[in-house]
């Protein structure tokens, strides 16, 4: 092997190597290397192979980290989350539109304060990493300083992150509104400052159609034309009252998605969160424009929004990743989120197998974000973001894992019983950036 190797990781590895459009037969392109060796050069993967095949490459210049007994998977990808809502997770009693008014907007109004934004950014990123999530697509607030704080903190950690300032000019408290011109110029300045800086990327982030006037949407369209490699991140068809409201606000449009589509906001780098109450024509539009979906199971259950149609999404081959959607979602943890996704499937006679679930949380999420050339698995040249899972951290988990016959059952037990205790270490860009603080011996 001519390529330089600076570090090596020993343990069991699981990832997906295929780029199939939808995981109908995921076992065909999943890879489980029970006694494996991952070679790194700085922040990049050199190769993943069996220990036997690779051990001769370990010179005394290569630092080896031994994770035998652990299961190492690519870092989780969270395709939809709101960092300022971390502090209001678990707000009681309301569905979407009342929940926004009563809880969300008051909390978001605090992010004009740079010190608060910096403190919450650090807390938020720590939550992601301690739950094994290494990349996320993130909403800020309407305040540009909210996004400056988040990008600065992510940059220091070397994380791959996509984020954007919320754009909104109606149907919210005055202190959170802006004019379309302000929204344009502030967003433009943020793109210039952050987009493609290190591992950071910018997402144009109109909150959703009800808080966007036609004039604001025209500004989003203009920015997308000026910066065609930015992402577009918004909400779509989450709640029946919201859908009816969009129809009354935009009577000339055929559907909710048609509002975004007519402003040219659909496409390969467009990510629409929720997509629960879609009409046939909207599914077709997502498919034809190669737009992608963030499925947010804990949020959809917590706000009583409805059941996402996993079957239709798979049949249409629409790229889909998992979003925790904190603070409407109730956990940062992808294992727990996959467990809830399974239950959403069960309520619709859809069996979400562990292989499909872990695909969506890793390579599938990377594909939904159009980042699969950089992250999502252990192929050579990929960025070395991964999570070291301890498969059994309680007596119950130990018993159940001991009863599991194969890797699929082990993964299913992890997504059913697992939580943040199962995250042993999180690596970003070839560096360990999170591990539990050892308990004090008192
Ligand atoms: N729709 C518009 N804004 C929001 C939000 O902050 N959270 C969720 N879940 N849906 C939204
Ligand atoms: Zn959301």
């Amino acid at each position: 092997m001519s390529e330089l190797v600076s570090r090596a990781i020993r343990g069991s590895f699981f990832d997906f190597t295929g780029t199939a459009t939808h995981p109908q037969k995921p076992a065909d392109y999943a890879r489980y290397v029970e006694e494996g060796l991952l070679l790194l050069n700085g922040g990049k993967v050199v190769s993943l192979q069996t220990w036997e095949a690779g051990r001769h490459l370990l010179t005394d210049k290569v630092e080896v980290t031994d994770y035998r007994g652990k299961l190492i998977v690519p870092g989780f990808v969270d395709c939809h989350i709101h960092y300022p809502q971390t502090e209001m997770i678990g707000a009681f009693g309301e569905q979407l539109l009342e929940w926004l008014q009563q809880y969300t907007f008051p909390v978001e109004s605090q992010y004009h304060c740079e010190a608060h934004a910096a403190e919450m950014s650090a807390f938020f990123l720590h939550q992601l990493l301690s739950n094994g999530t290494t990349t996320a697509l993130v909403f800020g607030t309407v305040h540009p300083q909210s996004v400056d704080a988040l990008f600065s903190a992510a940059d220091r950690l070397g994380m791959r992150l996509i984020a954007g300032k919320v754009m909104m000019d109606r149907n919210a408290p005055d202190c959170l509104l802006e004019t379309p011109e302000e929204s344009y110029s502030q967003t433009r300045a943020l793109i210039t400052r952050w987009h493609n800086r290190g591992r950071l990327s910018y997402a144009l982030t109109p909150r959703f159609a009800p808080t966007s006037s036609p004039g604001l949407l025209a500004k989003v369209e203009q920015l997308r034309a000026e910066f065609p490699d930015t992402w577009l991140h918004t909400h779509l068809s989450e709640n029946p009252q919201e859908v009816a409201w969009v129809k009354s606000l935009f009577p000339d449009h055929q559907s909710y998605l048609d509002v975004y589509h007519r402003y040219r906001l659909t496409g390969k780098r467009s990510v629409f969160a929720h997509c629960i109450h879609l009409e046939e024509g909207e599914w077709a539009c997502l498919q034809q424009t190669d737009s992608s979906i963030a499925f947010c199971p804990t949020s959809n259950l917590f706000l009583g929004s409805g059941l996402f149609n996993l079957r239709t999404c798979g049949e249409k081959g629409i790229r889909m990743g998992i979003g925790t959607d904190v603070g409407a979602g109730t956990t940062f943890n992808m294992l727990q989120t996959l467990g809830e996704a399974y239950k959403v499937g069960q309520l619709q006679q859809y069996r979400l197998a562990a292989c499909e679930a872990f695909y969506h949380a890793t390579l599938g999420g990377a594909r939904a974000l159009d980042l699969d050339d950089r992250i999502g698995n252990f192929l050579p040249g990929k960025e070395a973001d991964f999570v070291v899972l301890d498969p059994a951290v309680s007596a119950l988990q130990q018993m159940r894992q001991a009863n599991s016959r194969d890797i699929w059952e082990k993964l299913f037990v992890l997504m059913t019983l697992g939580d943040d205790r199962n995250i042993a270490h999180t690596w970003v860009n070839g560096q360990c950036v999170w591990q539990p603080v050892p308990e004090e011996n008192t």
Side-chain angles (χ1 to χ4, degrees):
M1 177 159 310
S2 55
E3 204 165 345
L4 224 64
V5 174
S6 55
R7 293 193 88 123
I9 316 289
R10 187 175 182 187
S12 300
F13 293 83
F14 177 84
D15 71 348
F16 294 89
T17 54
T19 53
T21 40
H22 50 98
Q24 296 294 35
K25 283 174 148 190
D28 289 351
Y29 54 90
R31 173 167 64 158
Y32 177 48
V33 188
E34 194 167 3
E35 290 187 31
L37 183 66
L38 179 72
L39 302 180
L40 307 180
N41 180 13
K44 295 273 172 64
V45 171
V46 174
S47 64
L48 171 62
Q49 59 214 298
T50 62
W51 166 254
E52 273 315 310
R55 57 189 294 185
H56 72 278
L57 299 167
L58 300 177
T59 64
D60 53 6
K61 293 206 180 62
V62 180
E63 192 178 335
V64 183
T65 307
D66 191 346
Y67 287 140
R68 271 178 289 173
K70 306 283 193 291
L71 177 64
I72 304 167
V73 301
F76 297 130
V77 179
D78 190 332
C79 291
H80 177 67
I81 187 163
H82 301 249
Y83 101 80
Q85 295 176 13
T86 305
E87 52 189 298
M88 49 151 293
I89 191 168
F92 174 73
E94 304 296 352
Q95 297 209 347
L96 177 64
L97 300 178
E98 297 74 26
W99 175 87
L100 284 172
Q101 294 294 336
Q102 193 168 323
Y103 297 112
T104 313
F105 292 148
V107 165
E108 291 194 8
S109 68
Q110 300 171 64
Y111 285 73
H112 64 90
C113 170
E114 282 171 34
H116 186 66
E119 186 187 343
M120 293 313 300
S121 293
F123 187 88
F124 169 81
L125 294 177
H126 183 264
Q127 288 300 310
L128 288 183
L129 294 171
S130 62
N131 283 286
T133 296
T134 51
T135 285
L137 174 59
V138 189
F139 260 66
T141 65
V142 74
H143 315 93
Q145 52 272 44
S146 72
V147 176
D148 280 325
L150 182 69
F151 275 140
S152 302
D155 199 31
R156 283 194 292 275
L157 286 161
M159 278 179 83
R160 183 162 284 290
L161 200 86
I162 313 175
K165 170 195 119 54
V166 167
M167 306 172 80
M168 59 177 170
D169 72 336
R170 62 171 167 172
N171 294 319
D174 282 349
C175 65
L176 290 176
L177 295 182
E178 54 187 354
T179 65
E181 291 70 28
E182 284 163 350
S183 195
Y184 171 85
S185 61
Q186 291 180 353
T187 301
R188 198 175 196 291
L190 286 168
I191 294 171
T192 313
R193 192 143 65 239
W194 295 109
H195 186 52
N196 294 334
R197 173 162 156 184
R199 302 185 79 199
L200 308 175
S201 305
Y202 199 85
L204 302 169
T205 311
R207 179 169 217 115
F208 65 157
T211 49
S212 310
S213 70
L216 184 104
L217 291 168
K219 290 295 181 197
V220 187
E221 178 180 8
Q222 189 180 341
L223 285 163
R224 207 167 208 208
E226 278 180 64
F227 303 99
D229 68 335
T230 53
W231 276 255
L232 183 287
H233 183 199
T234 191
H235 298 93
L236 172 64
S237 202
E238 177 176 4
N239 165 293
Q241 284 79 41
E242 172 210 17
V243 175
W245 194 19
V246 173
K247 289 196 168 162
S248 72
L249 289 169
F250 294 92
D252 299 337
H253 289 259
Q254 279 165 18
S255 64
Y256 190 161
L257 180 56
D258 186 51
V259 175
Y260 299 134
H261 183 59
R262 295 249 293 268
Y263 287 93
R264 298 173 195 273
L265 303 183
T266 47
K268 184 150 195 210
R269 288 195 168 178
S270 297
V271 182
F272 296 99
H274 305 292
C275 299
I276 299 170
H277 307 284
L278 296 181
E279 297 165 8
E280 196 47 52
E282 293 177 294
W283 282 110
C285 178
L286 289 173
Q287 188 180 35
Q288 283 154 16
T289 58
D290 197 16
S291 301
S292 64
I293 294 177
F295 166 33
C296 308
T298 74
S299 164
N300 297 344
L301 295 171
F302 185 72
L303 292 184
S305 302
L307 303 176
F308 176 69
N309 196 330
L310 281 155
R311 182 178 288 111
T312 301
C313 185
E315 282 170 1
K316 299 209 178 275
I318 296 170
R319 287 175 299 129
M320 183 270 273
I322 308 289
T324 60
D325 195 23
V326 166
T330 50
T331 178
F332 281 81
N333 189 266
M334 194 54 77
L335 300 172
Q336 290 179 309
T337 306
L338 296 182
E340 297 306 291
Y342 175 79
K343 295 172 197 168
V344 168
Q346 278 287 47
L347 287 165
Q348 303 172 92
Q349 286 71 52
Y350 182 89
R351 298 199 296 182
L352 179 67
C355 48
E356 186 179 344
F358 277 83
Y359 169 82
H360 288 303
T362 57
L363 183 62
R367 296 187 68 237
L369 300 187
D370 193 25
L371 288 176
D372 49 313
D373 58 336
R374 286 143 195 245
I375 57 168
N377 59 22
F378 297 116
L379 286 181
K382 290 285 179 95
E383 295 165 354
D385 291 350
F386 55 89
V387 49
V388 182
L389 297 169
D390 189 338
V393 293
S394 66
L396 180 64
Q397 289 187 8
Q398 273 154 18
M399 176 193 275
R400 187 62 184 85
Q401 290 292 11
N403 291 338
S404 306
R405 284 158 306 182
D406 54 24
I407 181 66
W408 306 116
E409 198 170 344
K410 281 191 193 309
L411 288 170
F412 189 66
V413 169
L414 260 174
M415 67 187 245
T416 305
L417 299 181
D419 54 39
D420 56 350
R421 293 169 302 168
N422 297 93
I423 313 298
H425 305 268
T426 304
W427 285 59
V428 159
N429 219 17
Q431 302 281 335
C432 182
V433 291
W434 186 83
Q435 57 192 348
V437 181
E439 277 174 34
E440 296 274 326
N441 287 328
T442 46

